[in-house]
Amino acid sequence: MNAFLYGVGLQWRLDIRSKSLLVTCYVVPLLFFAVMGGIFTSVNPAAKDTLIQSMTVMGVSMGALIGLPPSLVEIYGSDIKKAYKANGVPLYLGLVSMYLSAFIHLMIMSAIIYVIAPIAFDAALPENLPFYFGMLAVFIAVSLGIGSVLGLAMKSQAKLTMISQLIFLPSIMLSGIMFPVEMLPGFFRALGKIVPATWGYLLMSDNSLVLGNLWPLAGILAVTVFLCGLLLKRLKVD
């Protein structure tokens, strides 16, 4: 256990020095928040009620879907994987340590938005703080699960970038954080229910638990855990 915790702590410190993680988990989400927060609240003052939730969904989605997968490809698509095998290190250790490290970074980024939004844009704070961060943790876990599957399944950085963008952009456009989902055609509303960003936004916007919004995320998380297990077994054989 001590070795595992040391590995997670080491990965977290390495990630702090990573330019790609700095950009995807902090710089771009916080710049987007700084610019779009002012635009949203100027165009529609009612946006202050859900500004924290919408900006957090965008930041988490970017960090999980665009920031995490390339780091996993660097391990499992290179000779680092062979070094793991040669030294008897379980293949899952790299995935778990990166997953937990990214989880911590995304929670920190979300906390920054939570603190600054009321000061900068007079955004409304969620009424139930423990509930909000609990649902945020669920959303981050599910989003990182999808990012983990992408990172384990892809061997090419170029192909990974394309696939990640194809998942990230619909997650932002169809989740309701940019404009109400009622404005979308029926097909796109149905498509938006596939992405975790939609359910994460709904969960964090509620003041009490709505199981109908939680079950889709639980199902997606279960599928990603299963797929990660299969992909790690495949990588072990390769």
Side-chain angles (χ1 to χ4, degrees):
M1 178 59 71
N2 289 336
F4 173 75
L5 293 176
Y6 174 78
V8 173
L10 177 62
Q11 185 62 52
W12 188 77
R13 291 192 293 272
L14 290 172
D15 286 343
I16 292 177
R17 299 180 176 89
S18 170
K19 292 182 179 179
S20 62
L21 188 95
L22 178 67
V23 169
T24 55
C25 286
Y26 292 103
V27 176
V28 173
L30 293 177
L31 281 176
F32 182 87
F33 161 64
V35 175
M36 297 305 294
I39 294 175
F40 281 6
T41 52
S42 297
V43 173
N44 180 18
K48 295 178 181 180
D49 295 336
T50 56
L51 183 66
I52 292 176
Q53 293 87 339
S54 59
M55 295 296 102
T56 300
V57 166
M58 186 276 171
V60 169
S61 297
M62 170 162 280
L65 301 177
I66 298 180
L68 175 64
S71 299
L72 291 174
V73 172
E74 288 179 4
I75 290 181
Y76 295 104
S78 68
D79 291 336
I80 298 178
K81 182 184 72 172
K82 297 179 182 178
Y84 272 45
K85 289 183 178 181
N87 291 279
V89 178
L91 280 182
Y92 66 81
L93 183 62
L95 171 62
V96 174
S97 60
M98 284 192 172
Y99 181 100
L100 293 177
S101 175
F103 185 95
I104 295 170
H105 284 296
L106 291 177
M107 285 295 288
I108 293 173
M109 180 272 297
S110 301
I112 293 172
I113 292 176
Y114 183 91
V115 171
I116 294 179
I119 300 171
F121 305 113
D122 195 29
L125 288 171
E127 295 182 7
N128 190 332
L129 178 62
F131 176 82
Y132 171 77
F133 277 97
M135 295 303 99
L136 171 61
V138 172
F139 173 57
I140 293 176
V142 176
S143 299
L144 288 174
I146 295 176
S148 299
V149 171
L150 292 176
L152 293 175
M154 300 294 171
K155 296 182 179 180
S156 166
Q157 289 283 7
K159 186 181 294 185
L160 173 63
T161 299
M162 180 181 66
I163 298 298
S164 296
Q165 291 287 353
L166 286 175
I167 297 175
F168 170 71
L169 291 176
S171 295
I172 299 305
M173 301 304 296
L174 305 179
S175 61
I177 69 170
M178 301 294 289
F179 41 78
V181 293
E182 290 76 15
M183 298 175 61
L184 295 170
F187 171 76
F188 289 108
R189 268 185 284 174
L191 191 62
K193 293 181 180 180
I194 300 175
V195 299
T198 300
W199 304 107
Y201 177 62
L202 290 174
L203 275 175
M204 290 188 289
S205 299
D206 292 330
N207 294 317
S208 59
L209 181 62
V210 178
L211 291 178
N213 296 333
L214 182 62
W215 287 121
L217 289 178
I220 295 172
L221 181 61
V223 171
T224 58
V225 170
F226 175 74
L227 290 176
C228 284
L230 289 180
L231 291 169
L232 284 172
K233 286 185 178 180
R234 189 188 72 177
L235 289 168
K236 188 175 182 180
V237 173
D238 290 345

